[in-house]
Amino acid sequence: MERKQAEYSNLDERYAIQGEKYQGQQYSHIYFTRLHHMRNLLHALVPSWKPHLPVTTVLGLEEGKDCIIVGTLYKHMKLKPSILDEYSKERSAIPLVKPHNFMHPDDHLILEDESGRVTLAGAIPPAAYVTGVVIALHGKETSAGNFLVEDILEAGIPPQITLPSINEDKYVVFVSGLSIGSEKFNPLQFQLLIDHITGHLGDENEQSIASNIVRVVVAGNSVHISPRFFNGQAVASKDQSRIAEPIKELDIMLTQLVASLPVDMMPGSNDPANFSLPQQPLHRCLFAGAATYNTFSSCSNPHQFELDSVRFIGTSGQNIDDLYKYSDAKDKLEFVERTLRWRHLAPTAPNSLGCYPYTDKDPFLVESCPHVYFVGNQDKYETQLLQGPEKQKVRLICIPRFCDSGVAVMLNLRNLECSTLSFSTSFDA
């Protein structure tokens, strides 16, 4: 049985940190670039939104006069962790409480542009927004010096290239959170997934479906290295091989996959890669076996690519996990959708999410709408087909951690339909 092929092009060059020199620059540049780019977009949308209203700056506000202002949001949060608080609490008897979410009823929003900043009130819920989002607001200044918001304009889902018509089934498999080396990792479970993808499991029908899988994307957190090795002490020689064990095991597993089909390897927050976004590709020397195959691609996080002209963009989950800490939504998919509507993959970077201090660009801006937007290392599998106002169609996918769920996600390029591959090794399941 022959495996189907799909034409692949990697679009990660925008996330590559090459030729960038760190010279102690601050993060103001990235905010300025973001505001400049987004303001041009929003100014173009204002005439069709509220053509009769003037657009002004924060400094140009007049009390009681209706107008539109465009700026970057800053969310003042009472519970947001501060390194100074942590230092002072370490020295006190009261333990530091670490909530999973830093929301508080007293949180409020401030809008900022180059001219100044103004506190927002009225029809803008602080729970739905985070620091770093650029929006346009209709309202007026009050006698107290606040800006009373009446209406909000977000940039909205960006324009999309036409979805190509593919007349045969071709599948992409997404898996994340393997956590090889942790107590949760079940080698047999992952081996079953590999055997299914490579066509060593099941009857002819199963194998014919497996032969339609054209690519596997591993979306971060593939290994787990015990935190006790990261205590700032020199690692004993007997422990050095122990640190490498999970990576060697991952390489053995990956080599089985890449011998059969192309694999994209993305780094995650627990992987041996740089901490701040965009995470650079894992070094090929970590994969002595898999890297010898030309089907192995070590990619960045975020990762952007095209398969048969279907555009994909995805992260290993840090951007959505951070939104979950600082804002509120009914589910993780709503956070994913918001990043598209704000046209920014990681609005909380660099405020609460580590990112590289770029001086002349913000690589997380979403200028073209993908057809598939995936996020790895989530608590559970969720998916939705999002329809935009200009007939954009985006498949949003939350990929669950494989070590917890035994679930990988399979997407059909022909119709963007999603299904799960679920593997269990317990008899009662």
Side-chain angles (χ1 to χ4, degrees):
M1 219 175 269
E2 202 170 306
R3 185 175 296 281
K4 283 185 185 162
Q5 308 286 316
E7 198 175 313
Y8 174 78
S9 58
N10 185 311
L11 306 172
D12 281 345
E13 66 273 5
R14 63 181 297 148
Y15 306 118
I17 301 171
Q18 284 172 339
E20 293 276 350
K21 252 192 180 162
Y22 179 66
Q23 294 170 326
Q25 66 262 36
Q26 297 291 305
Y27 283 103
S28 52
H29 299 286
I30 201 166
Y31 280 124
F32 177 78
T33 309
R34 187 183 304 177
L35 177 60
H36 180 73
H37 175 90
M38 295 300 294
R39 185 167 43 201
N40 290 344
L41 278 175
L42 288 160
H43 277 185
L45 296 173
V46 164
S48 54
W49 180 50
K50 307 236 164 152
H52 56 289
L53 290 173
V55 179
T56 184
T57 61
V58 168
L59 207 58
L61 289 173
E62 292 174 38
E63 191 184 320
K65 191 176 171 190
D66 270 271
C67 64
I68 290 168
I69 52 174
V70 179
T72 310
L73 288 178
Y74 171 75
K75 188 167 175 177
H76 183 79
M77 300 185 79
K78 203 175 180 176
L79 299 180
K80 186 183 170 212
S82 151
I83 192 71
L84 297 174
D85 288 350
E86 289 192 27
Y87 178 72
S88 62
K89 281 171 188 166
E90 260 174 32
R91 300 172 68 87
S92 73
I94 307 159
L96 186 69
V97 181
K98 285 200 170 163
H100 65 279
N101 185 292
F102 303 111
M103 304 269 294
H104 189 276
D106 295 347
D107 293 346
H108 61 271
L109 294 169
I110 292 163
L111 190 88
E112 195 173 283
D113 64 12
E114 296 99 328
S115 70
R117 58 194 322 202
V118 63
T119 302
L120 304 177
I124 182 162
Y129 289 92
V130 289
T131 296
V133 177
V134 180
I135 52 171
L137 300 173
H138 162 217
K140 50 178 169 269
E141 190 181 18
T142 64
S143 53
N146 296 339
F147 188 76
L148 188 68
V149 178
E150 290 176 26
D151 205 355
I152 304 165
L153 174 69
E154 295 172 352
I157 298 170
Q160 187 180 48
I161 54 169
T162 313
L163 185 68
S165 61
I166 297 166
N167 49 21
E168 55 180 345
D169 290 337
K170 286 185 182 180
Y171 298 103
V172 182
V173 170
F174 297 96
V175 64
S176 75
L178 297 169
S179 290
I180 296 174
S182 73
E183 289 166 8
K184 290 181 191 169
F185 174 64
N186 181 340
L188 178 55
Q189 212 172 25
F190 187 34
Q191 190 61 54
L192 285 172
L193 172 66
I194 291 169
D195 288 347
H196 173 77
I197 291 169
T198 54
H200 292 101
L201 267 190
D203 57 15
E204 272 193 20
N205 182 39
E206 289 281 315
Q207 288 177 347
S208 73
I209 292 170
S211 72
N212 295 339
I213 299 171
V214 293
R215 201 166 202 93
V216 174
V217 178
V218 183
N221 290 0
S222 305
V223 294
H224 175 86
I225 297 162
S226 174
R228 70 187 175 87
F229 295 126
F230 304 118
N231 55 8
Q233 305 294 317
V235 179
S237 54
K238 68 176 193 307
D239 287 335
Q240 283 180 354
S241 59
R242 221 173 276 173
I243 290 177
E245 266 168 25
I247 299 163
K248 283 180 178 166
E249 194 174 338
L250 173 64
D251 182 43
I252 290 164
M253 300 280 208
L254 280 178
T255 306
Q256 298 176 54
L257 274 176
V258 295
S260 177
L261 82 168
V263 175
D264 282 2
M265 186 76 197
M266 291 167 64
S269 55
N270 298 346
D271 292 324
N274 57 308
F275 164 77
S276 55
L277 293 180
Q279 285 184 295
Q280 298 306 286
L282 294 165
H283 201 286
R284 292 177 76 87
C285 73
L286 295 170
F287 308 101
T292 58
Y293 289 82
N294 63 2
T295 45
F296 175 77
S297 298
S298 190
C299 306
S300 63
N301 166 35
H303 179 32
Q304 197 170 331
F305 62 97
E306 277 184 10
L307 268 180
D308 282 352
S309 301
V310 176
R311 185 163 290 184
F312 291 75
I313 195 165
T315 72
S316 295
Q318 294 101 314
N319 59 332
I320 301 303
D321 294 344
D322 204 62
L323 288 180
Y324 176 64
K325 287 181 196 166
Y326 295 96
S327 59
D328 199 22
K330 66 176 191 295
D331 55 23
K332 290 285 184 82
L333 278 176
E334 194 176 341
F335 289 127
V336 179
E337 185 182 329
R338 277 179 199 168
T339 58
L340 267 187
R341 293 192 190 283
W342 295 334
R343 296 201 193 185
H344 202 279
L345 284 179
T348 52
N351 180 54
S352 53
L353 186 63
C355 89
Y356 185 83
Y358 289 96
T359 51
D360 56 349
K361 65 174 182 178
D362 182 350
F364 307 112
L365 291 162
V366 185
E367 285 154 25
S368 169
C369 185
H371 300 115
V372 180
Y373 179 7
F374 63 92
V375 176
N377 301 293
Q378 298 307 303
D379 298 330
K380 60 177 197 274
Y381 164 68
E382 295 176 281
T383 185
Q384 174 196 345
L385 192 66
L386 179 66
Q387 307 265 4
E390 291 160 23
K391 296 192 175 159
Q392 301 102 318
K393 268 165 79 172
V394 198
R395 170 59 68 185
L396 308 179
I397 310 170
C398 286
I399 311 160
R401 285 182 285 272
F402 190 79
C403 66
D404 293 332
S405 62
V407 169
V409 181
M410 200 153 98
L411 172 104
N412 192 340
L413 289 178
R414 182 170 61 85
N415 52 15
L416 300 188
E417 278 184 9
C418 250
S419 54
T420 56
L421 294 169
S422 190
F423 298 90
S424 176
T425 55
S426 58
F427 290 112
D428 54 10

Coordinates of all heavy atoms in Angstrom, one line a residue, residues 151-222:
D151 N -19.0 51.7 22.5 CA -18.9 50.6 21.5 C -17.5 50.3 21.2 O -16.6 51.1 21.4 CB -19.6 51.1 20.2 CG -20.1 49.9 19.3 OD1 -19.8 48.7 19.7 OD2 -20.7 50.1 18.3
I152 N -17.2 49.0 20.8 CA -15.8 48.5 20.6 C -15.7 48.0 19.2 O -16.5 47.3 18.7 CB -15.6 47.4 21.6 CG1 -15.8 47.8 23.0 CG2 -14.1 46.8 21.4 CD1 -15.9 46.6 24.0
L153 N -14.5 48.4 18.6 CA -14.2 47.8 17.3 C -12.9 47.0 17.4 O -11.8 47.6 17.7 CB -14.1 48.9 16.2 CG -13.6 48.5 14.8 CD1 -14.6 47.6 14.1 CD2 -13.2 49.7 14.0
E154 N -13.0 45.7 17.1 CA -11.7 44.9 17.0 C -11.4 44.8 15.6 O -12.2 44.9 14.7 CB -12.0 43.5 17.7 CG -12.3 43.6 19.2 CD -12.7 42.3 19.7 OE1 -12.9 41.3 19.0 OE2 -12.8 42.2 21.0
A155 N -10.1 44.4 15.3 CA -9.6 44.3 13.9 C -10.4 43.2 13.2 O -10.6 43.2 12.0 CB -8.1 44.0 13.9
G156 N -10.8 42.1 13.9 CA -11.6 41.1 13.3 C -10.8 40.0 12.6 O -9.6 40.2 12.4
I157 N -11.4 39.0 12.1 CA -10.7 37.9 11.5 C -10.0 38.4 10.2 O -10.7 39.0 9.4 CB -11.6 36.7 11.2 CG1 -12.2 36.2 12.5 CG2 -10.9 35.6 10.4 CD1 -13.4 35.2 12.4
P158 N -8.7 38.2 10.0 CA -8.0 38.7 8.8 C -8.5 38.1 7.5 O -9.2 37.0 7.5 CB -6.6 38.4 9.1 CG -6.5 37.4 10.2 CD -7.8 37.5 10.9
P159 N -8.2 38.7 6.4 CA -8.5 38.1 5.1 C -7.8 36.8 4.9 O -6.8 36.5 5.5 CB -8.1 39.2 4.1 CG -7.1 40.1 4.8 CD -7.5 40.0 6.2
Q160 N -8.5 35.9 4.1 CA -8.0 34.6 3.9 C -7.8 34.2 2.4 O -8.6 34.6 1.6 CB -9.0 33.6 4.6 CG -8.6 32.2 4.6 CD -9.7 31.3 5.3 OE1 -10.9 31.4 4.9 NE2 -9.3 30.5 6.2
I161 N -6.8 33.4 2.2 CA -6.6 32.9 0.8 C -7.7 31.8 0.6 O -8.0 31.2 1.5 CB -5.2 32.4 0.5 CG1 -4.7 31.4 1.5 CG2 -4.2 33.6 0.4 CD1 -3.5 30.6 1.2
T162 N -8.1 31.7 -0.6 CA -9.2 30.7 -0.9 C -8.7 29.3 -0.6 O -7.6 28.9 -0.9 CB -9.6 30.7 -2.4 OG1 -9.7 32.1 -2.8 CG2 -10.9 30.0 -2.7
L163 N -9.6 28.5 0.1 CA -9.3 27.2 0.4 C -9.3 26.3 -0.9 O -10.2 26.3 -1.7 CB -10.4 26.6 1.4 CG -10.2 25.2 1.9 CD1 -9.0 25.2 2.9 CD2 -11.5 24.7 2.6
P164 N -8.1 25.6 -1.1 CA -8.1 24.9 -2.4 C -9.0 23.7 -2.3 O -9.4 23.2 -1.3 CB -6.6 24.4 -2.4 CG -6.2 24.4 -0.9 CD -7.0 25.5 -0.3
S165 N -9.5 23.2 -3.5 CA -10.3 22.1 -3.5 C -9.5 20.8 -3.7 O -8.7 20.7 -4.7 CB -11.4 22.2 -4.6 OG -10.7 22.2 -5.9
I166 N -9.5 20.0 -2.7 CA -8.7 18.7 -2.7 C -9.8 17.6 -2.8 O -10.7 17.5 -2.0 CB -7.9 18.6 -1.4 CG1 -6.8 19.7 -1.4 CG2 -7.2 17.2 -1.3 CD1 -6.2 19.9 -0.1
N167 N -9.7 16.7 -3.8 CA -10.8 15.8 -4.0 C -10.5 14.4 -3.5 O -11.1 13.4 -3.9 CB -11.1 15.7 -5.5 CG -9.9 15.6 -6.4 OD1 -8.8 15.1 -5.9 ND2 -10.0 16.0 -7.7
E168 N -9.5 14.3 -2.6 CA -9.2 12.9 -2.0 C -8.9 13.1 -0.5 O -8.4 14.2 -0.1 CB -8.1 12.2 -2.7 CG -6.8 13.0 -2.8 CD -5.7 12.2 -3.5 OE1 -5.8 11.0 -3.7 OE2 -4.7 12.9 -3.9
D169 N -9.1 12.1 0.3 CA -8.8 12.2 1.7 C -7.3 12.2 1.9 O -6.6 11.3 1.5 CB -9.4 11.0 2.4 CG -11.0 11.1 2.5 OD1 -11.5 12.2 2.4 OD2 -11.6 10.1 2.7
K170 N -6.9 13.2 2.7 CA -5.5 13.3 3.1 C -5.5 13.8 4.5 O -6.2 14.8 4.8 CB -4.7 14.3 2.2 CG -4.3 13.7 0.9 CD -3.4 14.7 0.1 CE -3.1 14.3 -1.3 NZ -2.2 15.2 -2.0
Y171 N -4.8 13.1 5.4 CA -4.9 13.4 6.8 C -3.6 14.0 7.4 O -2.5 13.6 7.0 CB -5.3 12.2 7.6 CG -6.6 11.6 7.3 CD1 -6.7 10.5 6.5 CD2 -7.8 12.2 7.7 CE1 -8.0 9.9 6.1 CE2 -9.0 11.7 7.4 CZ -9.1 10.5 6.6 OH -10.3 10.0 6.2
V172 N -3.8 14.9 8.4 CA -2.6 15.4 9.2 C -2.9 14.9 10.6 O -4.1 15.1 11.1 CB -2.5 16.9 9.1 CG1 -1.3 17.4 9.9 CG2 -2.4 17.4 7.7
V173 N -1.9 14.3 11.3 CA -2.1 13.9 12.7 C -1.4 14.9 13.6 O -0.2 15.2 13.4 CB -1.6 12.5 12.9 CG1 -1.6 12.1 14.4 CG2 -2.5 11.5 12.2
F174 N -2.1 15.4 14.6 CA -1.5 16.3 15.6 C -1.4 15.5 16.9 O -2.4 14.9 17.4 CB -2.4 17.5 15.8 CG -2.5 18.4 14.6 CD1 -3.7 18.3 13.8 CD2 -1.6 19.4 14.3 CE1 -3.8 19.1 12.7 CE2 -1.8 20.2 13.2 CZ -2.9 20.0 12.4
V175 N -0.3 15.6 17.6 CA -0.1 15.0 18.9 C 0.7 16.0 19.7 O 1.6 16.7 19.2 CB 0.5 13.6 18.8 CG1 1.9 13.6 18.3 CG2 0.5 12.9 20.2
S176 N 0.4 16.1 21.0 CA 1.2 17.0 21.9 C 1.2 16.5 23.3 O 0.4 15.6 23.7 CB 0.6 18.4 21.9 OG -0.5 18.5 22.7
G177 N 2.2 17.0 24.1 CA 2.2 16.6 25.5 C 2.6 15.1 25.7 O 2.0 14.5 26.5
L178 N 3.6 14.6 25.0 CA 4.0 13.2 25.2 C 4.6 13.0 26.6 O 4.4 12.0 27.2 CB 4.9 12.8 24.1 CG 4.4 12.8 22.6 CD1 5.6 12.6 21.7 CD2 3.4 11.7 22.4
S179 N 5.3 14.0 27.0 CA 6.0 14.0 28.3 C 6.8 12.7 28.6 O 6.6 12.1 29.6 CB 5.0 14.2 29.4 OG 4.5 15.5 29.4
I180 N 7.6 12.4 27.6 CA 8.5 11.2 27.8 C 9.4 11.4 28.9 O 10.1 12.5 29.0 CB 9.2 10.9 26.5 CG1 8.2 10.5 25.4 CG2 10.3 9.8 26.7 CD1 8.8 10.3 24.0
G181 N 9.5 10.5 29.9 CA 10.3 10.7 31.0 C 9.6 11.0 32.3 O 10.1 11.0 33.4
S182 N 8.3 11.4 32.1 CA 7.4 11.7 33.3 C 6.7 10.4 33.8 O 6.7 9.4 33.0 CB 6.4 12.7 33.0 OG 5.4 12.1 32.2
E183 N 6.2 10.4 35.0 CA 5.5 9.2 35.5 C 4.2 8.9 34.7 O 3.8 7.8 34.6 CB 5.1 9.4 37.0 CG 6.3 9.4 37.9 CD 6.0 9.9 39.3 OE1 4.9 10.2 39.6 OE2 7.0 10.1 40.0
K184 N 3.7 9.9 34.1 CA 2.4 9.7 33.3 C 2.6 9.1 32.0 O 1.7 8.5 31.4 CB 1.7 11.1 33.1 CG 1.2 11.8 34.3 CD 0.5 13.1 33.8 CE 0.2 14.0 35.0 NZ -0.2 15.3 34.4
F185 N 3.8 9.2 31.4 CA 4.1 8.7 30.1 C 3.9 7.1 30.0 O 4.5 6.4 30.8 CB 5.5 9.1 29.6 CG 5.9 8.5 28.3 CD1 5.1 8.8 27.1 CD2 6.9 7.6 28.2 CE1 5.5 8.3 25.9 CE2 7.3 7.0 26.9 CZ 6.5 7.4 25.8
N186 N 3.1 6.7 29.0 CA 2.9 5.3 28.8 C 3.5 4.9 27.5 O 3.0 5.2 26.4 CB 1.4 5.0 28.9 CG 1.1 3.5 28.7 OD1 1.9 2.7 28.2 ND2 -0.1 3.1 29.1
P187 N 4.7 4.2 27.5 CA 5.4 3.9 26.2 C 4.5 3.1 25.3 O 4.6 3.3 24.0 CB 6.7 3.2 26.6 CG 6.8 3.3 28.1 CD 5.4 3.7 28.6
L188 N 3.8 2.2 25.8 CA 2.9 1.3 25.0 C 1.9 2.1 24.2 O 1.6 1.8 23.0 CB 2.3 0.2 25.8 CG 1.3 -0.8 25.1 CD1 2.0 -1.4 23.9 CD2 0.8 -1.9 26.1
Q189 N 1.3 3.1 24.9 CA 0.3 3.9 24.3 C 0.8 4.7 23.1 O 0.2 4.7 22.1 CB -0.2 4.9 25.4 CG -1.6 5.4 25.3 CD -2.0 6.2 26.5 OE1 -1.2 6.8 27.1 NE2 -3.3 6.2 26.8
F190 N 2.0 5.2 23.3 CA 2.6 6.0 22.2 C 3.0 5.0 21.0 O 2.9 5.3 19.9 CB 3.8 6.8 22.7 CG 4.4 7.7 21.7 CD1 3.6 8.4 20.7 CD2 5.8 8.0 21.6 CE1 4.1 9.2 19.8 CE2 6.3 8.8 20.7 CZ 5.5 9.5 19.7
Q191 N 3.5 3.8 21.4 CA 3.9 2.8 20.4 C 2.7 2.4 19.6 O 2.8 2.2 18.4 CB 4.5 1.6 21.1 CG 5.2 0.6 20.1 CD 6.3 1.3 19.3 OE1 7.2 1.8 19.8 NE2 6.2 1.2 18.0
L192 N 1.5 2.3 20.2 CA 0.3 2.0 19.5 C 0.0 3.1 18.4 O -0.4 2.8 17.3 CB -0.9 1.8 20.5 CG -1.0 0.5 21.3 CD1 -2.1 0.6 22.3 CD2 -1.2 -0.7 20.4
L193 N 0.1 4.3 18.9 CA -0.1 5.4 17.9 C 0.9 5.3 16.7 O 0.4 5.5 15.6 CB 0.1 6.8 18.7 CG 0.0 8.0 17.8 CD1 -1.4 8.2 17.2 CD2 0.4 9.3 18.5
I194 N 2.1 5.1 17.0 CA 3.1 5.0 16.0 C 2.8 3.8 15.0 O 2.8 4.0 13.8 CB 4.6 4.8 16.6 CG1 5.0 6.1 17.3 CG2 5.6 4.4 15.5 CD1 6.2 5.9 18.1
D195 N 2.4 2.7 15.6 CA 2.1 1.5 14.8 C 0.9 1.8 13.9 O 0.8 1.3 12.8 CB 1.9 0.3 15.7 CG 3.2 -0.2 16.3 OD1 4.3 0.2 15.8 OD2 3.1 -1.0 17.2
H196 N -0.1 2.5 14.5 CA -1.3 2.8 13.7 C -0.9 3.7 12.5 O -1.3 3.5 11.4 CB -2.3 3.5 14.6 CG -3.5 4.0 13.8 ND1 -4.5 3.2 13.3 CD2 -3.8 5.2 13.3 CE1 -5.4 3.9 12.7 NE2 -5.0 5.1 12.6
I197 N -0.1 4.8 12.8 CA 0.2 5.8 11.7 C 1.1 5.1 10.7 O 0.9 5.3 9.5 CB 1.0 7.0 12.3 CG1 0.0 7.8 13.2 CG2 1.6 7.9 11.3 CD1 0.7 8.8 14.1
T198 N 2.0 4.2 11.1 CA 2.9 3.6 10.1 C 2.3 2.4 9.4 O 2.9 1.7 8.6 CB 4.2 3.2 10.8 OG1 3.9 2.3 11.9 CG2 5.0 4.4 11.3
G199 N 1.0 2.0 9.8 CA 0.3 0.9 9.1 C 0.6 -0.4 9.6 O 0.4 -1.4 8.9
H200 N 1.1 -0.6 10.8 CA 1.4 -1.9 11.4 C 0.3 -2.4 12.3 O 0.5 -3.4 13.0 CB 2.8 -1.8 12.2 CG 3.9 -1.6 11.3 ND1 4.5 -0.4 11.2 CD2 4.6 -2.4 10.5 CE1 5.6 -0.5 10.4 NE2 5.6 -1.7 9.9
L201 N -0.8 -1.7 12.3 CA -1.9 -2.1 13.2 C -3.2 -2.2 12.4 O -3.4 -1.5 11.4 CB -2.2 -1.0 14.3 CG -1.5 -1.1 15.7 CD1 -2.1 -0.1 16.6 CD2 -1.6 -2.5 16.3
G202 N -4.1 -3.1 12.8 CA -5.4 -3.1 12.2 C -5.5 -3.9 10.9 O -4.5 -4.4 10.4
D203 N -6.8 -4.0 10.4 CA -7.0 -4.7 9.2 C -6.7 -3.8 7.9 O -6.2 -2.7 8.1 CB -8.5 -5.2 9.2 CG -9.5 -4.0 9.3 OD1 -9.0 -2.8 9.2 OD2 -10.6 -4.2 9.6
E204 N -7.1 -4.3 6.8 CA -6.8 -3.6 5.5 C -7.5 -2.2 5.5 O -6.9 -1.2 5.0 CB -7.3 -4.4 4.3 CG -6.2 -5.3 3.8 CD -6.5 -5.9 2.4 OE1 -7.3 -5.3 1.7 OE2 -5.9 -6.9 2.1
N205 N -8.7 -2.1 6.0 CA -9.4 -0.8 6.1 C -8.7 0.2 6.9 O -8.4 1.3 6.5 CB -10.8 -1.1 6.7 CG -11.6 0.2 6.7 OD1 -11.6 1.0 5.7 ND2 -12.4 0.4 7.7
E206 N -8.2 -0.2 8.1 CA -7.4 0.6 9.0 C -6.1 1.1 8.3 O -5.7 2.2 8.4 CB -7.0 -0.1 10.3 CG -8.2 -0.4 11.2 CD -8.5 0.8 12.1 OE1 -7.6 1.5 12.6 OE2 -9.7 1.1 12.2
Q207 N -5.5 0.1 7.6 CA -4.2 0.4 7.0 C -4.4 1.4 5.8 O -3.6 2.2 5.5 CB -3.6 -0.9 6.5 CG -3.0 -1.7 7.7 CD -2.4 -3.0 7.3 OE1 -2.6 -3.4 6.2 NE2 -1.7 -3.6 8.2
S208 N -5.6 1.2 5.1 CA -5.8 2.2 4.0 C -6.0 3.6 4.5 O -5.6 4.6 3.8 CB -7.0 1.7 3.1 OG -8.2 1.9 3.8
I209 N -6.7 3.7 5.7 CA -6.8 5.1 6.3 C -5.5 5.6 6.7 O -5.1 6.8 6.4 CB -7.8 5.0 7.5 CG1 -9.2 4.7 7.0 CG2 -7.8 6.3 8.3 CD1 -10.2 4.4 8.1
A210 N -4.7 4.7 7.3 CA -3.3 5.1 7.7 C -2.4 5.6 6.6 O -1.6 6.5 6.7 CB -2.6 4.0 8.5
S211 N -2.6 5.0 5.4 CA -1.8 5.3 4.2 C -2.2 6.7 3.7 O -1.5 7.3 2.9 CB -2.0 4.3 3.1 OG -3.3 4.4 2.5
N212 N -3.3 7.3 4.1 CA -3.7 8.6 3.7 C -3.2 9.7 4.6 O -3.4 10.9 4.4 CB -5.3 8.7 3.7 CG -5.9 7.8 2.7 OD1 -5.2 7.4 1.7 ND2 -7.2 7.5 2.9
I213 N -2.5 9.3 5.7 CA -1.9 10.3 6.6 C -0.6 10.8 5.9 O 0.3 10.0 5.6 CB -1.5 9.6 8.0 CG1 -2.8 9.2 8.7 CG2 -0.8 10.7 8.9 CD1 -2.6 8.3 10.0
V214 N -0.6 12.1 5.7 CA 0.5 12.7 4.9 C 1.6 13.4 5.8 O 2.7 13.6 5.4 CB 0.0 13.7 3.8 CG1 -0.7 12.9 2.8 CG2 -0.8 14.8 4.4
R215 N 1.2 13.7 7.1 CA 2.2 14.4 7.9 C 1.8 14.2 9.4 O 0.6 14.1 9.7 CB 2.2 15.9 7.6 CG 3.5 16.5 8.1 CD 3.7 17.9 7.4 NE 5.1 18.2 7.5 CZ 6.0 18.0 6.6 NH1 5.7 17.4 5.4 NH2 7.3 18.3 6.7
V216 N 2.7 14.2 10.3 CA 2.5 14.2 11.7 C 3.1 15.5 12.3 O 4.2 15.9 12.0 CB 3.1 13.0 12.4 CG1 3.0 13.1 13.9 CG2 2.5 11.7 11.9
V217 N 2.3 16.2 13.1 CA 2.9 17.4 13.8 C 2.9 17.2 15.3 O 1.9 16.9 15.9 CB 2.0 18.7 13.5 CG1 2.5 19.9 14.2 CG2 1.9 18.9 12.0
V218 N 4.1 17.2 15.9 CA 4.3 17.0 17.3 C 4.3 18.4 17.9 O 5.3 19.2 17.8 CB 5.5 16.2 17.6 CG1 5.7 16.0 19.1 CG2 5.5 14.9 16.8
A219 N 3.2 18.8 18.7 CA 3.1 20.2 19.1 C 3.5 20.4 20.6 O 2.8 20.7 21.4 CB 1.6 20.6 18.9
G220 N 4.8 20.2 20.8 CA 5.4 20.6 22.1 C 5.3 19.7 23.2 O 4.5 18.8 23.3
N221 N 6.2 19.9 24.2 CA 6.2 19.2 25.5 C 6.4 17.7 25.3 O 5.6 16.9 25.9 CB 5.0 19.5 26.4 CG 5.0 20.9 26.9 OD1 6.0 21.6 26.7 ND2 4.1 21.3 27.7
S222 N 7.3 17.3 24.4 CA 7.6 15.9 24.1 C 8.3 15.2 25.2 O 8.2 14.0 25.3 CB 8.3 15.8 22.8 OG 7.6 16.5 21.8

